Amino acid sequence: MQISSSSRTVSDMKITLQKTIKGITAIQDQLRNTMAAVSGWNDVQGMQYRDLVRQIAKLTDSPRCTLEEAVPKLEAMIRALQAYENVKF
């Protein structure tokens, strides 16, 4: 089975990753705003709610970091594919 790739395809992947990173970052910001909005809830349920929101926010760090690490690798792949596409046989 042959696998083909082009710099355009990888570039589209990079754009998708960057949009996803922005989306995750926006969610993290919303979660932080939610925690700030309920900071005055000093009862047990309020503390449990803040802890839950904090845990959810923490869970979003790993996928965001993974995607951020992938972007430079995709950029390198784009450069390599562009160089290959420019080779004349």
Side-chain angles (χ1 to χ4, degrees):
M1 179 166 88
Q2 179 183 5
I3 297 176
S4 63
S5 184
S6 70
S7 60
R8 184 73 209 142
T9 301
V10 178
S11 180
D12 289 344
M13 289 171 49
K14 177 186 159 198
I15 291 168
T16 301
L17 285 183
Q18 290 172 323
K19 286 179 183 177
T20 304
I21 292 167
K22 286 181 183 179
I24 292 171
T25 302
I27 290 168
Q28 289 175 323
D29 290 342
Q30 290 172 350
L31 291 169
R32 278 190 281 277
N33 290 338
T34 298
M35 284 189 298
V38 299
S39 64
W41 296 3
N42 295 323
D43 60 354
V44 173
Q45 287 179 327
M47 290 187 298
Q48 289 173 341
Y49 181 78
R50 281 193 304 279
D51 286 343
L52 178 62
V53 172
R54 189 176 297 115
Q55 288 174 4
I56 293 169
K58 189 175 182 179
L59 288 172
T60 61
D61 279 334
S62 178
R64 182 185 47 79
C65 290
T66 300
L67 295 176
E68 287 174 344
E69 291 170 1
V71 171
K73 294 173 184 176
L74 288 176
E75 290 170 347
M77 186 181 292
I78 291 167
R79 287 190 299 274
L81 286 168
Q82 286 172 338
Y84 179 77
E85 290 167 352
N86 290 330
V87 172
K88 303 292 184 209
F89 291 102

